[in-house]
Amino acid sequence: MHGIHAATRLLRRLGLAAALIWAGLALDAARASETVMILPGDAEVPVKAGQRLTVTLRGPEGASYWAEGLPDGLALDAASGRIEGAVGRAGTYGILVAASSDAGLAYGTLKIIAAGEAPSSPASGAAASALPAAAMAAMSSPSAAPMQSFFRDGKSDILWRNAINHELVIWRMDGTLALGANFTNGGIVGADWRVAAVGDFDGDGYADILWRSIETGQMVMWFMVGPNVKSFTVLPQMVGLTWEVAGAGDFNGDGRADILWRSIETGQLLVWFMNGAHCVSFSSGPIVDLTWRIAGVGNFTGAGNGKAGILWRCRNTRALLAWHMDGAAPLGFDFLSSQNYDAMWEVMAVGDYTGNGKADIWWRHRGTHQMVLWQMDGIHCINASFGSPAYLSREWETAALPIR
């Protein structure tokens, strides 16, 4: 009897030990991926969907921390800089992080790649959300929707491309504030291709991406739903490399982006009127002296005729000029005050970032890389504010650079 009790006690101990071993193995399997991220700087964290992770932000001594664009399941402790939790849905997430201290702000981009089964449709993804009533009302009129909005929220966004590794990142914007950074899922495109333009070419409310080969002039269009490529089309037309894509916008008011071309030899303008990836007609515009470059495309008249105009900047004097357009024909023009913005400040993007139906202007300093948004009411700047983040490191460039 004593031997039976001893054996029973041994089995219980072995059972407890085995349970502890199995619990330890299960804990190891779910244990957080731990990463230390030094700011300023970027980091990439691969995990499995559902796996716990910890990212510890490290900035100047005494810094407090913030993050924009955290996916569901992750939370930041602002005092310690620890981001913890588990990403429940597979995907690639771009998160803007920063450390604030007496020394200033230090920024970075945290890229989390959660492996696992992807959402079965765009509607089931984390990016899907109901639109506010005001945004729905704006979307009911095709010409009221910003051509550069990747998220159908009534406001333009910014597409960045890394000059070193060629990654594409979309900043979802609300005025000067970047709400989050979303990496596109189209893969890495080689350096011999550049983003020629961003616009809603198929009229579905989501901005699309037009690529062009710098070697052959061949063009490919990515049709997007948020940061995801839903399909692509190779454009049948080939245009010689003496012509450059200068921008995209709705020049005829049909709710679809058109392509603005300019000859780099003569300054001649040409507009392709588009239906998706198909040029249905075209119209030539004026010849403009090459001392003037196209800085961007946008509607500076607001409710006006609902058609895109052209923002010009003089290479010599730095003067700003807005053309109000009807197709390829200018209806009129207005000079804009560029204040004391010298040659070191460049227009990096034009779009409706505040959702008032009128184009705004983003500036970027070539030396410090600081970014400033001019919030516009037609041709008048009603407010100039630094972006949040206020700058991005030099290897990141706005993807669709205007013609120089």
Side-chain angles (χ1 to χ4, degrees):
M1 182 69 68
H2 177 75
I4 292 174
H5 286 306
T8 301
R9 286 195 297 271
L10 178 60
L11 287 172
R12 285 175 178 170
R13 288 172 184 163
L14 289 174
L16 178 60
L20 290 173
I21 290 171
W22 281 110
L25 290 174
L27 184 61
D28 283 341
R31 183 167 293 159
S33 163
E34 297 187 4
T35 302
V36 175
M37 181 176 178
I38 307 298
L39 296 174
D42 301 328
E44 182 176 303
V45 179
V47 294
K48 293 182 179 179
Q51 178 186 1
R52 289 192 60 81
L53 64 87
T54 299
V55 178
T56 302
L57 307 178
R58 285 285 180 263
E61 185 175 355
S64 60
Y65 300 88
W66 61 260
E68 293 287 351
L70 284 172
D72 291 342
L74 294 185
L76 166 70
D77 181 82
S80 67
R82 288 173 66 86
I83 297 173
E84 294 184 293
V87 180
R89 194 180 293 273
T92 300
Y93 302 87
I95 303 160
L96 301 175
V97 295
S100 175
S101 69
D102 293 339
L105 289 171
Y107 292 97
T109 300
L110 171 61
K111 181 179 181 181
I112 296 177
I113 304 173
E117 185 176 353
S120 58
S121 70
S124 65
S129 61
L131 288 174
M136 288 294 290
M139 294 301 297
S140 67
S141 171
S143 61
M147 290 284 109
Q148 303 88 6
S149 177
F150 284 92
F151 298 95
R152 289 190 66 178
D153 58 2
K155 297 175 184 178
S156 296
D157 305 303
I158 300 177
L159 179 65
W160 297 94
R161 193 183 192 198
N162 190 296
I164 299 174
N165 61 26
H166 310 300
E167 286 184 318
L168 281 179
V169 176
I170 300 167
W171 276 11
R172 184 172 186 173
M173 303 301 296
D174 181 10
T176 60
L177 177 64
L179 300 177
N182 299 267
F183 288 83
T184 62
N185 71 343
I188 302 299
V189 179
D192 55 333
W193 289 83
R194 67 179 290 267
V195 176
V198 173
D200 180 14
F201 290 97
D202 56 0
D204 66 351
Y206 295 100
D208 307 307
I209 301 174
L210 177 65
W211 294 89
R212 193 181 190 210
S213 168
I214 61 175
E215 295 182 352
T216 67
Q218 179 70 65
M219 291 186 292
V220 175
M221 190 171 290
W222 281 5
F223 295 103
M224 309 292 291
V225 175
N228 303 311
V229 182
K230 66 176 180 180
S231 64
F232 70 91
T233 299
V234 178
L235 275 66
Q237 300 92 344
M238 293 280 286
V239 179
L241 294 176
T242 59
W243 287 83
E244 286 202 13
V245 176
D250 183 7
F251 286 95
N252 60 0
D254 68 350
R256 298 180 178 88
D258 308 305
I259 301 175
L260 175 65
W261 295 89
R262 192 184 190 198
S263 167
I264 62 175
E265 294 182 340
T266 67
Q268 174 79 55
L269 297 181
L270 177 70
V271 176
W272 278 10
F273 301 105
M274 304 296 292
N275 182 4
H278 305 286
C279 174
V280 296
S281 64
F282 65 88
S283 179
S284 60
I287 297 175
V288 180
D289 189 275
L290 291 172
T291 58
W292 288 86
R293 70 173 183 86
I294 295 175
V297 172
N299 182 0
F300 289 96
T301 59
N305 62 4
K307 299 177 183 178
I310 301 174
L311 181 66
W312 297 89
R313 197 178 192 204
C314 181
R315 299 175 188 271
N316 299 333
T317 66
R318 304 298 163 184
L320 279 178
L321 179 68
W323 272 13
H324 312 298
M325 305 292 291
D326 181 12
L331 297 177
F333 66 89
D334 286 289
F335 282 95
L336 285 67
S337 170
S338 56
Q339 300 175 6
N340 296 319
Y341 280 38
D342 59 22
M344 293 298 289
W345 286 94
E346 291 187 331
V347 175
M348 76 171 198
V350 172
D352 180 11
Y353 296 95
T354 58
N356 67 353
K358 302 173 185 178
D360 307 304
I361 303 172
W362 271 107
W363 296 86
R364 193 183 192 195
H365 194 275
R366 293 167 57 190
T368 66
H369 308 292
Q370 283 184 313
M371 296 179 290
V372 173
L373 176 64
W374 278 12
Q375 298 176 34
M376 304 295 292
D377 182 6
I379 61 169
H380 304 289
C381 174
I382 57 177
N383 186 43
S385 305
F386 284 105
S388 180
Y391 72 94
L392 196 62
S393 55
R394 69 176 68 236
E395 67 268 18
W396 289 98
E397 301 173 342
T398 45
L401 294 174
I403 189 170
R404 291 292 185 256

